[in-house]
């Protein structure tokens, strides 16, 4: 039985004629197959690497957006924008020439609008003081309001705001120390933000002086 099967296989084999290059062709097909597999594996590896890089860049961007001067809990300003995202939107609006935001490029205007909204003062002025000791309750450095007109100034700038009408016969007046700073962009196009304030009472040796400063 085995002998007959072997003879049959020999007869079938004699019918098949492989060319002299058959072995090389088979090897080439196998080699191409492995090359395709390596290319697919390489592409998959590149895709994974790209995903990792994009993820790292996104993480870095989030880190930048939540630094000392930006982002939710660490956002340094208290007015007009209480969040980094809102301040970015305001800066973009100012860049576009939106009048609802361009006023924030003027530091003195930011100070005046802040105390008007915070304290309801109808008439305010930024006080120029030759001697800080003359101001009751003065603590720390008080900057000249003219510093807010300097296009190169970025802050922080701390000024004294007087909240009573000039030229009245009052001998004391409500006031506030207000600190502002360019937090989003430190150039003349950057918007100013209020970062701190302290209420005070200003005493005058004579009736309230006339308006001064910007």
């Amino acid at each position: 039985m085995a002998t007959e099967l072997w003879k049959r296989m020999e007869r079938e084999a004699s019918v098949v004629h492989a060319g002299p290059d058959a072995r090389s062709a088979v090897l080439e097909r196998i080699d191409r197959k492995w090359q395709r597999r390596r290319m697919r594996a390489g592409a998959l590896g590149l895709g994974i690497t790209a995903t990792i890089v994009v993820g790292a860049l996104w993480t870095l961007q989030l880190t930048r957006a939540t630094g000392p001067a930006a982002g939710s809990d660490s956002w340094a300003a208290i007015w007009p924008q209480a969040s980094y995202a809102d301040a970015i939107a305001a800066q973009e609006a100012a860049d576009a020439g939106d009048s609802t935001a361009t006023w924030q490029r003027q530091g003195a205007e930011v100070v005046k609008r802040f105390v008007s909204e915070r304290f309801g003062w109808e008439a305010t002025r930024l006080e120029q003081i030759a001697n800080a000791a003359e101001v009751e309750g003065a603590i720390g450095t008080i900057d000249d309001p003219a510093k807010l007109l300097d296009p190169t100034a970025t802050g922080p700038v701390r000024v004294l705001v007087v909240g009573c009408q000039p030229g009245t016969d009052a001998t004391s007046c409500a006031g506030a120390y207000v600190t502002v700073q360019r937090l989003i962009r430190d150039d003349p196009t950057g918007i100013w933000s209020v970062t701190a304030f302290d209420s005070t009472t200003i005493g005058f040796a004579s009736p309230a002086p006339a308006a001064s400063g910007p």
Side-chain angles (χ1 to χ4, degrees), residues 6 24 32 42 47 55 78 80 87 114 198:
W6 177 256
S24 297
R32 287 197 297 270
I78 57 175
F114 169 71
D198 296 293

Side-chain angles (χ1 to χ4, degrees), residues 112 121-127 161-174 204 206-213:
K112 290 179 178 180
W121 297 343
E122 295 182 0
T124 60
R125 65 184 186 277
L126 277 62
E127 190 70 15
V161 187
V162 178
C164 60
Q165 294 280 354
T168 65
D169 57 358
T171 57
S172 65
C173 186
F204 300 108
S206 57
S212 61

Side-chain angles (χ1 to χ4, degrees), residues 144-191:
D144 188 333
K147 191 173 182 179
L148 293 174
L149 302 177
D150 181 356
T152 65
T154 60
V157 179
R158 184 172 183 258
V159 294
L160 173 62
V161 187
V162 178
C164 60
Q165 294 280 354
T168 65
D169 57 358
T171 57
S172 65
C173 186
Y177 303 105
V178 181
T179 303
V180 291
Q181 185 173 355
R182 296 188 200 264
L183 294 174
I184 299 298
R185 186 184 301 153
D186 56 356
D187 63 38
T189 66
I191 59 175

